[in-house]
Amino acid sequence: MNLFDVYSLYDIEPVRGEGSYVFTADGTRYLDLYGGHAVISIGHSHPRYVRAVSEQAARLGFYSNSVQNSLQQQLADRLGRLSGYDSYSLFLCNSGAEANENAIKLASFATGRAKVLAFDRAFHGRTSGAVSATDNPAIRAPFNATANVDFAPLGDIEAVRRKLSSGEFAAVIIEGIQGVAGIRMVPDDFMRRLRQACSEAGTLLILDEIQSGYGRTGHFFAHQHAGIQPDIITCAKGIANGFPAAAVLISPSIKAVKGMLGTTFGGSHLACAAAIAVLDVIADENLVENAAETGAYLIERLGEMAKCHSVITEVRGRGLMIGIELAGDAGAIRRQLLFDGKIFTGGAGAHTVRLLPALGLTKEQADIFLSTFKKYL
């Protein structure tokens, strides 16, 4: 049997990792500035994480959600304190797409409405409901097209108000920063006005923090830069440092009904142990603060580089979520960085280099990237 050929693969196989580095079988070391799509939040093979997962696997890896699992409440307590959302409730699942599916379903239950408003170039996942709210025809099959999802231009609050005035929308879903679209920023003022518009229309605001959350932007969630509180927040990616896990944070104004949401594997003992270890490391090693500081350093240095190299047309981002827009082929530079410079980066379209490293990235490692990147401009 062959693998279904849907991925474009580099001819490189990392076999182990340590911190912000991965290694191939022959010992070649690569600086990882992509973290497996922003998944590796606390670094590869962090000793505390490895110990927590190993010890939990030796005790009990899984049992169903029909019995008590005190690790789920421990995770909820830690996440509430660290994120500032200790009054919210937590629903645990397995992936970002599943988190968004449940968030949309929950908003529809809570409001009795059917429609969802998303934004141009949004990416919310590949499962049926999530991809329906994703503005990318290349991954949205005809089956996924639905009149229950509408789109508005990002940043156009008047367009949003016009659509919400119909009273049909259960939710507006928006990314804290649009990641797959190329680190497309959401202005803080627009986020504040969006919060107000949703409240006025009786529409719930869902913040998709799957890529932009968990400390990546220098706040625990990207929307906290704007000083707002959404009704529902979705998390995945860095939540468990590579173990499949995701979460939905739910406002106390939304009441639970037995059976309205459910999952087989979500919130397993192993997933919770991994996620608790991640939060402990983030807190104890001040990784949110490091993301803010090292990210600001990178963005400043890249901005200075852009003044001397016209091929860099824009540098966007916050913290360690950075997009470098190029006049030329970003794919060519990414290949040079990988095969010659031994640095993993990410892409987002033809012209954007995307950086999503572990939150513990050092300034020395940032300098390695900067000097190597400069050679290929």
Side-chain angles (χ1 to χ4, degrees), residues 21 42 53 63-65 87 110 135 151 200 208 214 229 259 261 266 273 327 371:
Y21 291 96
I42 61 171
V53 173
Y63 206 78
S64 81
N65 282 312
S87 67
D135 186 27
F151 294 90
E200 291 170 352
D208 178 343
Y214 257 72
Q229 280 200 338
L261 304 180
S371 60

Side-chain angles (χ1 to χ4, degrees), residues 51-226:
R51 183 169 61 252
V53 173
S54 300
E55 290 177 353
Q56 185 59 50
R59 287 193 295 270
L60 179 65
F62 175 82
Y63 206 78
S64 81
N65 282 312
S66 61
V67 298
Q68 297 286 329
N69 178 356
S70 61
L71 291 172
Q72 293 183 354
Q73 188 59 55
Q74 290 179 40
L75 173 56
D77 291 341
R78 282 172 169 79
L79 179 54
R81 286 197 301 271
L82 200 56
S83 68
Y85 281 96
D86 53 358
S87 67
Y88 279 45
S89 298
L90 182 67
F91 177 76
L92 294 166
C93 48
N94 306 287
S95 69
E98 189 181 339
N100 283 335
E101 293 274 351
N102 280 287
I104 291 168
K105 180 181 178 182
L106 187 61
S108 185
F109 269 132
T111 62
R113 301 174 181 178
K115 296 189 74 172
V116 171
L117 182 65
F119 291 92
D120 63 309
R121 298 175 66 184
F123 183 93
H124 296 294
R126 293 177 180 268
T127 54
S128 186
V131 80
S132 296
T134 292
D135 186 27
N136 185 343
I139 65 171
R140 192 174 63 235
F143 170 78
N144 304 125
T146 170
N148 284 334
V149 177
D150 200 357
F151 294 90
L154 185 68
D156 188 342
I157 193 62
E158 294 309 318
V160 171
R161 289 186 184 278
R162 284 194 298 272
K163 291 180 184 294
L164 295 189
S165 66
S166 69
E168 300 176 286
F169 286 89
V172 173
I173 185 168
I174 186 170
E175 295 160 85
I177 294 174
Q178 287 191 333
V180 175
I183 315 300
R184 197 171 173 219
M185 305 298 291
V186 181
D188 290 343
D189 183 60
F190 175 74
M191 196 71 88
R192 287 189 285 267
R193 295 171 75 188
L194 178 63
R195 170 67 278 181
Q196 182 181 358
C198 286
S199 298
E200 291 170 352
T203 297
L204 299 186
L205 178 59
I206 302 171
L207 246 298
D208 178 343
E209 294 278 9
I210 287 162
Q211 189 172 130
S212 57
Y214 257 72
R216 179 150 298 279
T217 68
H219 279 306
F220 197 88
F221 292 123
H223 69 262
Q224 290 171 320
H225 290 277

Side-chain angles (χ1 to χ4, degrees), residues 12 20 30 32 39 41 46 48 64-65 81 114 120 139 143 180 182 194 202-203 218 223 273 300 303 320 327 373:
I12 292 173
S20 291
Y30 294 81
D32 183 9
V39 166
S41 51
H46 192 288
R48 193 165 176 181
S64 81
N65 282 312
R81 286 197 301 271
D120 63 309
I139 65 171
F143 170 78
V180 175
L194 178 63
T203 297
H223 69 262
E300 182 182 2
L320 290 175
F373 181 60

Side-chain angles (χ1 to χ4, degrees), residues 294-307 315 370:
T294 305
Y297 174 75
L298 261 171
I299 290 169
E300 182 182 2
R301 292 289 306 279
L302 286 165
E304 293 169 357
M305 198 180 297
K307 296 174 183 177
V315 179
L370 290 164

